Amino acid sequence: MFSVDAAPSPRPETPEPSSKQGRRNAGVQLLDDDGAISDQLEACLEHIFAKYCVPPPNPREGGDEGHGVVLLEPPPGACLTPEGLDAWARDTNGAPFSQETKDELVEFLDVTDDGSLTFKGFMQIYQLQTENDEEETWRDLSNHGFDRMLKLVATRREDAEGEGASGG
């Protein structure tokens, strides 16, 4: 997985997993220099996870100073139940996961004893996805209202059901 071929990339404008990610997003990196999820991305993922977790989230204290938007923060020990996982998958990808995919999540990622996805497991999903397809992670973030600067600008449901999102 970490071997690098000598041949040039067929799409040189697309960063490969072994190269620096997020070139088009000056100052915003999804992965840090060590290849781990950046602090900025982790805050976004906490907010997304918190929308679907049990127990329900608490707003981040002081998170809205001057921004008008408060990011959610999952409480300690929170998890995504099968219903929460389905709701997240629907809002992110348009459909819930297949049973086969759910079985793989339980087998390979961090879950509770009853098979609910922990925040650590949720981060594992995005670690793997971002290493392999950064644009897919950007699409997911956009679906949950984050812009390319990782700022929460709108909620997906409000934009989809409202007059339509016209970014500026």
Side-chain angles (χ1 to χ4, degrees), residues 4-10:
V4 178
D5 293 337
S9 170

PDB file of all heavy atoms in Angstrom, residues 4-10:
ATOM      1  N   VAL A   4       5.514   3.133  -4.067  1.00  0.00           N
ATOM      2  CA  VAL A   4       5.280   4.186  -5.050  1.00  0.00           C
ATOM      3  C   VAL A   4       5.918   3.754  -6.357  1.00  0.00           C
ATOM      4  O   VAL A   4       7.105   3.462  -6.406  1.00  0.00           O
ATOM      5  CB  VAL A   4       5.885   5.533  -4.582  1.00  0.00           C
ATOM      6  CG1 VAL A   4       5.674   6.602  -5.617  1.00  0.00           C
ATOM      7  CG2 VAL A   4       5.298   5.940  -3.249  1.00  0.00           C
ATOM      8  N   ASP A   5       5.117   3.690  -7.418  1.00  0.00           N
ATOM      9  CA  ASP A   5       5.648   3.320  -8.722  1.00  0.00           C
ATOM     10  C   ASP A   5       6.504   4.450  -9.281  1.00  0.00           C
ATOM     11  O   ASP A   5       6.269   5.616  -9.009  1.00  0.00           O
ATOM     12  CB  ASP A   5       4.502   3.043  -9.705  1.00  0.00           C
ATOM     13  CG  ASP A   5       3.713   1.805  -9.307  1.00  0.00           C
ATOM     14  OD1 ASP A   5       4.277   0.953  -8.587  1.00  0.00           O
ATOM     15  OD2 ASP A   5       2.542   1.712  -9.716  1.00  0.00           O
ATOM     16  N   ALA A   6       7.472   4.074 -10.103  1.00  0.00           N
ATOM     17  CA  ALA A   6       8.336   5.073 -10.711  1.00  0.00           C
ATOM     18  C   ALA A   6       7.613   5.820 -11.823  1.00  0.00           C
ATOM     19  O   ALA A   6       7.972   6.935 -12.156  1.00  0.00           O
ATOM     20  CB  ALA A   6       9.601   4.415 -11.263  1.00  0.00           C
ATOM     21  N   ALA A   7       6.588   5.211 -12.400  1.00  0.00           N
ATOM     22  CA  ALA A   7       5.867   5.850 -13.500  1.00  0.00           C
ATOM     23  C   ALA A   7       5.096   7.065 -12.990  1.00  0.00           C
ATOM     24  O   ALA A   7       4.579   7.053 -11.879  1.00  0.00           O
ATOM     25  CB  ALA A   7       4.900   4.853 -14.129  1.00  0.00           C
ATOM     26  N   PRO A   8       5.020   8.116 -13.813  1.00  0.00           N
ATOM     27  CA  PRO A   8       4.249   9.291 -13.390  1.00  0.00           C
ATOM     28  C   PRO A   8       2.760   8.958 -13.319  1.00  0.00           C
ATOM     29  O   PRO A   8       2.275   8.059 -14.000  1.00  0.00           O
ATOM     30  CB  PRO A   8       4.533  10.323 -14.483  1.00  0.00           C
ATOM     31  CG  PRO A   8       4.991   9.536 -15.660  1.00  0.00           C
ATOM     32  CD  PRO A   8       5.623   8.284 -15.116  1.00  0.00           C
ATOM     33  N   SER A   9       2.073   9.687 -12.493  1.00  0.00           N
ATOM     34  CA  SER A   9       0.641   9.483 -12.329  1.00  0.00           C
ATOM     35  C   SER A   9      -0.077   9.801 -13.634  1.00  0.00           C
ATOM     36  O   SER A   9       0.256  10.770 -14.307  1.00  0.00           O
ATOM     37  CB  SER A   9       0.117  10.404 -11.223  1.00  0.00           C
ATOM     38  OG  SER A   9      -1.285  10.386 -11.204  1.00  0.00           O
ATOM     39  N   PRO A  10      -1.082   8.979 -14.022  1.00  0.00           N
ATOM     40  CA  PRO A  10      -1.817   9.280 -15.248  1.00  0.00           C
ATOM     41  C   PRO A  10      -2.651  10.563 -15.104  1.00  0.00           C
ATOM     42  O   PRO A  10      -3.010  11.172 -16.087  1.00  0.00           O
ATOM     43  CB  PRO A  10      -2.730   8.066 -15.433  1.00  0.00           C
ATOM     44  CG  PRO A  10      -2.810   7.431 -14.086  1.00  0.00           C
ATOM     45  CD  PRO A  10      -1.533   7.779 -13.379  1.00  0.00           C
TER      46      PRO A  10
END
